[in-house]
């Protein structure tokens, strides 16, 4: 075959397979979808068969979901395989390709089969099947006694690219109760996430009972009630009661771990030390250099000053003293209880944004530096992390920490969570560390996702398309060192679960696909179509999400002293209508097609996207002054 013809045929095949695969609307995109002719029609009563007692939970889970989604009767059996509509099967002989989490889903016109090496694989096959079914259905049958629910036949072979596919939930800045955490898990497992990182401690609350250190929760779990922008809030008043907060008891944690494990989610606990420790210090002031007994759990005051060069000064001492042996006795108690509660192989020990200013003025720290022959105070952080590593490893666990922990020689037994520049992660991988990717510029779910004029105010933005553009490991030789990655939902400004969902979705869809699907299989045009289908699913199940993809994305630039305006949107098939004359944009307003010269004068841009002649996005109203000031670019 000549090469032009083969390229054309190859291209046609790829386009056909993407468009056929596009019918299936699965997130994350499976590795291989082979459409098969025909449809499977569901009867009035659906029988589920499973071939292993390890699949009892999966069968019940599937039955409940089908009952909710299709409004049909469901029965489960571990006999009568022949009559089953849906068969859940564990391979007796391992299928190497599928690994520990892969599955095959086979929908023929006779029956549906999910096969895997493990219960986790079957569970992920179930998630794919559920995404192929309608998200809700009124009970209707035709004259043949069949429901009208039909799904196209298909063979799907699927397995993840990475084994750590996570979301982080910050339960310190705002406490989310155990039932809320369960709802967060329910949502994430639908997209094949397998790791929930709980940020359990910070300046604003200590959220886990440590029986041997009761003040951590008696004092550290509570702060004064404040609202408004985090970082600008009023300090506790003298004598004011700390009533806002909460914590998980050991029993709560055990319940959460069981709930997560049934759904194949590992909970990674984070105890963030030596910085970010104000709640612990409020409970036990002797742990800090200043030993200040007036320190309270912080309600979101401005206690740090950020400088232009990226450094910062903590105006309140929120750091454990690395030269105080009592600190290590404290940490041994904490990590002993954490290690005995959590089955996780990893314990996250924090290590980020540790201010060294109080260490530099502390006699014991200076003596320790002298004893160790350290010339820089920063080296005390390396010393501290080593001591923590020793404690945690003696308990049979591995440590993972924010990428600052690599700054002073650490054994490669430690793993690194890259949160700053992704290159820090790849450099750590080159040095032999295992790495979890969570760089701010692609993974921070607390950043706003649309236009800053209408989104809740935060200091940075991150749109869905940018999250999706991330390849977690562009260096093939490093891939064995990259465990995977996650999205981080910090909750300084997010006090309730539906708001947390709004921040997480749809960006968590992109994160799920980044870590499950191989980069070569990813395709934005297909993804965004699937995202819109999943908006319907979120609505059907009452989960809040951001519609920022429909909003216009505005940028301005100067060309020969003329201010120019550019507009686009992430959603496909929308028309951007705008006005500069003060009227509300309608289908009769100008359509944006190319950069517009903005006239001088007291004008205001009003702009909105439309689909099928109806407004679909939010209207943005931007006065000229703002357009001029702003490069008006959100990444
Ligand atoms: C971080 O965002 N400070 C890890």
């Amino acid at each position: 075959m000549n090469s032009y013809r083969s390229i054309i045929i190859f291209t046609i095949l790829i386009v056909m397979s993407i468009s056929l695969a596009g019918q299936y609307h699965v997130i994350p995109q499976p590795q291989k979808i082979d459409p098969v002719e025909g449809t499977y029609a569901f009867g009035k009563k659906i029988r589920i068969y499973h071939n292993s007692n390890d699949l009892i939970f999966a069968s019940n889970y599937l039955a409940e979901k089908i009952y909710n989604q299709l409004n049909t009767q469901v029965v489960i059996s571990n006999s009568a395989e022949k009559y089953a509509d849906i068969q859940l099967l564990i391979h007796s002989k391992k299928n190497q390709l599928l690994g520990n989490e892969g599955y095959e889903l086979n929908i023929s016109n006779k029956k549906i089969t999910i096969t895997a090496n493990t219960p986790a694989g079957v569970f992920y096959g179930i998630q794919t099947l559920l995404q192929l079914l309608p998200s809700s259905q009124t009970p209707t049958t035709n004259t043949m006694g069949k429901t009208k629910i039909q799904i196209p036949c298909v063979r799907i072979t699927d397995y993840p690219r990475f084994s750590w596919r996570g979301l982080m939930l910050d339960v310190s800045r705002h406490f989310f109760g155990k039932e809320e955490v369960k709802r967060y898990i329910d949502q994430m497992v639908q997209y094949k996430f397998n790791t929930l990182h709980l940020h359990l401690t910070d300046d604003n609350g200590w959220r886990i009972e440590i029986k041997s250190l009761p003040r951590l929760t008696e004092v550290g779990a509570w702060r004064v009630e404040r609202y408004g922008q985090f970082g600008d809030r009023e300090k506790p008043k003298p004598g004011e009661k700390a009533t806002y907060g909460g914590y998980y008891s050991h029993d709560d944690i055990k319940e959460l771990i069981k709930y997560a494990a049934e759904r194949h989610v590992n909970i990674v606990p984070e105890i963030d030390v030596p910085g970010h420790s104000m709640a612990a210090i409020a409970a036990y002031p002797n742990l800090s250099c200043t030993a200040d007994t007036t320190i309270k759990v912080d309600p979101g005051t401005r206690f740090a000053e950020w400088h232009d060069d990226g450094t910062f000064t903590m105006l309140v001492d929120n750091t454990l003293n690395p030269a105080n042996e009592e600190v290590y006795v404290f940490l041994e108690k904490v990590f002993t209880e954490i290690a005995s509660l959590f089955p996780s192989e990893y314990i996250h020990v924090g290590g980020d944004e540790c201010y060294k200013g109080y260490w530099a003025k502390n006699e014991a720290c200076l003596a320790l530096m002298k004893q160790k022959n350290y010339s820089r105070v920063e080296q005390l952080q390396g010393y501290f992390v080593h001591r923590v590593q020793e404690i945690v490893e003696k308990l049979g666990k591995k440590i993972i920490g924010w990428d600052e922990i690599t700054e002073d020689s650490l054994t490669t037994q430690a793993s690194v969570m890259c949160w700053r520049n992704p290159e820090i992660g790849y450099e750590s991988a080159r040095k032999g560390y295992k790495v979890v990717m969570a760089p701010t510029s692609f993974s921070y779910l607390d950043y706003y996702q649309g236009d800053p004029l209408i989104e809740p105010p935060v200091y940075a933005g991150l749109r869905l398309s940018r999250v999706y553009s991330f390849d977690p490991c562009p260096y093939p030789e490093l891939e064995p060192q990259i465990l995977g990655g996650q999205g981080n939902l910090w909750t300084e400004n997010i006090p309730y679960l539906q708001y947390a969902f709004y921040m997480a979705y749809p960006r968590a869809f992109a994160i799920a696909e980044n870590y499950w699907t191989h980069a070569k299989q990813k395709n934005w045009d297909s993804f965004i179509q699937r995202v819109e289908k999943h908006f319907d699913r979120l609505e059907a199940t009452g989960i809040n999400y951001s519609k920022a993809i429909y909003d216009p994305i505005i940028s301005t630039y100067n060309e020969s002293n003329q201010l120019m305006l550019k507009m686009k949107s992430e959603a496909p098939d929308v028309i951007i209508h705008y006005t500069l004359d003060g009227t509300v944009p309608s289908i009769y307003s100008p359509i944006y097609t190319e950069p517009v010269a903005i006239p001088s004068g007291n004008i205001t841009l009003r702009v909105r996207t439309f689909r099928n002649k109806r407004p679909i996005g939010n209207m943005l109203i931007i006065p000229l002054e703002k357009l001029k000031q702003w490069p008006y670019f959100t990444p």
Side-chain angles (χ1 to χ4, degrees), residues 136-149:
S136 64
Q137 184 78 23
T138 40
T140 45
T141 51
N142 64 17
T143 48
M144 307 294 286
K146 292 276 188 194
T147 64
K148 293 207 177 118
I149 306 158

Side-chain angles (χ1 to χ4, degrees), residues 13-182:
L13 285 175
I14 289 208
V15 169
M16 270 175 57
S17 70
I18 286 175
S19 60
L20 283 172
Q23 288 179 31
Y24 295 94
H25 304 303
V26 176
I27 296 177
Q29 178 68 23
Q31 306 294 356
K32 192 159 181 281
I33 297 184
D34 294 319
V36 174
E37 207 153 299
T39 54
Y40 180 83
F42 283 90
K44 272 194 293 192
K45 184 165 161 188
I46 296 171
R47 296 174 208 82
I48 300 173
Y49 165 82
H50 57 88
N51 76 345
S52 159
N53 281 345
D54 291 343
L55 296 176
I56 291 173
F57 177 83
S59 302
N60 286 321
Y61 178 96
L62 176 62
E64 188 185 325
K65 294 278 179 181
I66 289 185
Y67 177 76
N68 288 340
Q69 283 182 222
L70 303 189
N71 236 314
T72 49
Q73 255 186 299
V74 191
V75 287
I76 297 173
S77 131
N78 56 3
S79 58
E81 177 174 3
K82 243 184 24 208
Y83 305 107
D85 303 280
I86 304 176
Q87 298 183 342
L88 306 181
L89 307 172
I90 301 258
H91 276 294
S92 48
K93 198 163 144 269
K94 276 218 176 299
N95 175 333
Q96 291 303 325
L97 180 67
L98 300 183
N100 286 335
E101 295 184 294
Y103 64 90
E104 279 173 340
L105 167 63
N106 191 356
I107 303 177
S108 74
N109 56 8
K110 302 254 162 28
K111 64 178 180 199
I112 297 171
T113 315
I114 295 172
T115 323
N117 295 325
T118 61
V122 170
F123 189 69
Y124 295 135
I126 286 173
Q127 298 306 340
T128 297
L129 172 62
L130 291 170
Q131 291 189 14
L132 297 174
L133 300 177
S135 50
S136 64
Q137 184 78 23
T138 40
T140 45
T141 51
N142 64 17
T143 48
M144 307 294 286
K146 292 276 188 194
T147 64
K148 293 207 177 118
I149 306 158
Q150 298 198 349
I151 54 172
C153 296
V154 68
R155 271 192 87 93
I156 293 180
T157 307
D158 199 12
Y159 44 87
R161 179 177 175 195
F162 293 102
S163 62
W164 183 304
R165 303 179 305 279
L167 290 180
M168 184 276 269
L169 181 63
D170 170 4
V171 293
S172 168
R173 270 55 177 271
H174 279 283
F175 179 60
F176 293 83
K178 69 180 176 196
E179 294 308 321
E180 292 177 301
V181 177
K182 287 182 190 170

Side-chain angles (χ1 to χ4, degrees), residues 171-461:
V171 293
S172 168
R173 270 55 177 271
H174 279 283
F175 179 60
F176 293 83
K178 69 180 176 196
E179 294 308 321
E180 292 177 301
V181 177
K182 287 182 190 170
R183 299 291 79 78
Y184 197 72
I185 293 172
D186 287 342
Q187 199 51 37
M188 62 190 271
V189 297
Q190 296 178 41
Y191 298 96
K192 305 188 176 79
F193 283 106
N194 66 0
T195 305
L196 173 64
H197 165 183
L198 284 183
H199 183 74
L200 287 165
T201 73
D202 212 299
D203 302 312
N204 318 98
W206 182 284
R207 302 295 178 212
I208 182 162
E209 176 188 29
I210 301 294
K211 288 187 193 283
S212 55
L213 295 161
R215 283 179 61 81
L216 281 176
T217 43
E218 284 165 14
V219 175
W222 306 97
R223 61 176 164 88
V224 296
E225 190 161 357
R226 291 284 182 277
Y227 295 93
Q229 188 65 11
F230 200 92
D232 282 336
R233 297 187 188 157
E234 199 186 354
K235 288 183 183 158
K237 298 189 185 84
E240 189 179 358
K241 286 234 164 4
T243 53
Y244 186 86
Y247 65 90
Y248 309 113
S249 67
H250 280 207
D251 284 344
D252 292 338
I253 289 288
K254 286 177 192 158
E255 187 180 323
L256 275 178
I257 288 170
K258 177 169 181 287
Y259 191 87
E262 284 168 344
R263 290 156 182 78
H264 306 282
V265 168
N266 179 43
I267 300 185
V268 177
E270 180 186 353
I271 303 295
D272 195 355
V273 286
H276 285 275
S277 292
M278 206 185 301
I281 290 168
Y284 296 101
N286 63 316
L287 299 175
S288 77
C289 287
T290 41
D292 181 349
T293 53
T294 66
I295 285 181
K296 300 272 186 287
V297 180
D298 182 70
T301 66
R302 184 179 298 281
F303 69 85
E305 264 175 8
W306 290 85
H307 312 304
D308 289 344
D309 62 359
T311 61
F312 53 89
T313 304
M314 292 293 173
L315 307 174
V316 177
D317 187 2
N318 70 341
T319 308
L320 304 184
N321 177 354
N324 179 356
E325 282 304 310
E326 285 174 35
V327 165
Y328 302 103
V329 174
F330 166 85
L331 290 173
E332 186 145 4
K333 286 182 180 164
V334 171
F335 285 119
T336 300
E337 294 192 30
I338 295 285
S340 77
L341 278 171
F342 289 87
S344 174
E345 177 185 4
Y346 289 97
I347 293 179
H348 198 307
V349 299
D352 58 323
E353 297 174 318
C354 171
Y355 178 63
K356 321 287 189 315
Y358 297 96
W359 295 0
K361 287 186 277 187
N362 179 270
E363 266 177 38
C365 288
L366 295 172
L368 179 61
M369 283 176 66
K370 198 157 165 214
Q371 183 202 335
K372 296 282 173 192
N373 228 350
Y374 294 156
S375 56
R376 295 174 300 113
V377 70
E378 286 73 21
Q379 287 169 286
L380 287 178
Q381 165 130 349
Y383 170 85
F384 177 88
V385 177
H386 263 121
R387 295 281 308 262
V388 170
Q389 185 175 8
E390 256 171 42
I391 293 171
V392 171
E393 286 179 1
K394 263 208 331 239
L395 296 164
K397 301 287 188 182
K398 295 181 182 162
I399 68 163
I400 185 164
W402 299 111
D403 55 44
E404 287 97 325
I405 67 165
T406 61
E407 283 171 4
D408 266 287
S409 66
L410 200 60
T411 68
T412 49
Q413 294 306 312
S415 298
V416 176
M417 186 169 277
C418 167
W419 71 279
R420 296 177 293 172
N421 186 333
E423 288 302 325
I424 297 176
Y426 305 134
E427 200 42 47
S428 305
R430 277 185 203 101
K431 289 183 187 149
Y433 296 106
K434 294 278 187 207
V435 176
V436 172
M437 299 301 292
T440 51
S441 49
F442 296 101
S443 332
Y444 268 36
L445 301 175
D446 55 327
Y447 290 5
Y448 55 80
Q449 50 207 313
D451 194 284
L453 272 187
I454 53 169
E455 291 296 324
V458 199
Y459 55 92

Side-chain angles (χ1 to χ4, degrees), residues 419 438-452 455-456 458-470 486-490 502-508 510-511 514 546 548-549 553 570 633-635:
W419 71 279
T440 51
S441 49
F442 296 101
S443 332
Y444 268 36
L445 301 175
D446 55 327
Y447 290 5
Y448 55 80
Q449 50 207 313
D451 194 284
E455 291 296 324
V458 199
Y459 55 92
L462 177 61
R463 287 192 185 267
L464 178 67
S465 49
R466 174 143 175 107
V467 179
Y468 192 74
S469 71
F470 186 52
Q486 62 182 43
N488 288 344
L489 185 53
W490 302 102
Y502 174 89
M503 297 306 283
Y505 294 91
R507 291 180 295 188
I511 291 166
N514 287 345
S546 163
I549 63 161
I553 301 174
E570 288 180 303
F633 171 72
T634 52

Side-chain angles (χ1 to χ4, degrees), residues 478-544:
L478 298 180
E479 189 131 341
Q481 291 304 110
I482 307 292
L483 294 173
Q486 62 182 43
N488 288 344
L489 185 53
W490 302 102
T491 58
E492 284 92 335
N493 292 301
I494 302 173
Y496 56 94
L497 186 67
Q498 283 293 6
Y499 188 175
F501 282 139
Y502 174 89
M503 297 306 283
Y505 294 91
R507 291 180 295 188
F509 294 160
I511 291 166
E513 190 147 312
N514 287 345
Y515 292 100
W516 178 279
T517 308
H518 200 280
K520 286 198 294 257
Q521 307 282 105
K522 285 171 55 191
N523 176 297
W524 167 258
D525 293 338
S526 143
F527 175 69
I528 194 72
Q529 275 187 30
R530 286 178 283 128
V531 165
E532 290 201 72
K533 293 282 178 199
H534 281 254
F535 283 173
D536 298 342
R537 308 187 84 80
L538 295 174
E539 275 166 35
T541 46
I543 301 294
N544 196 11

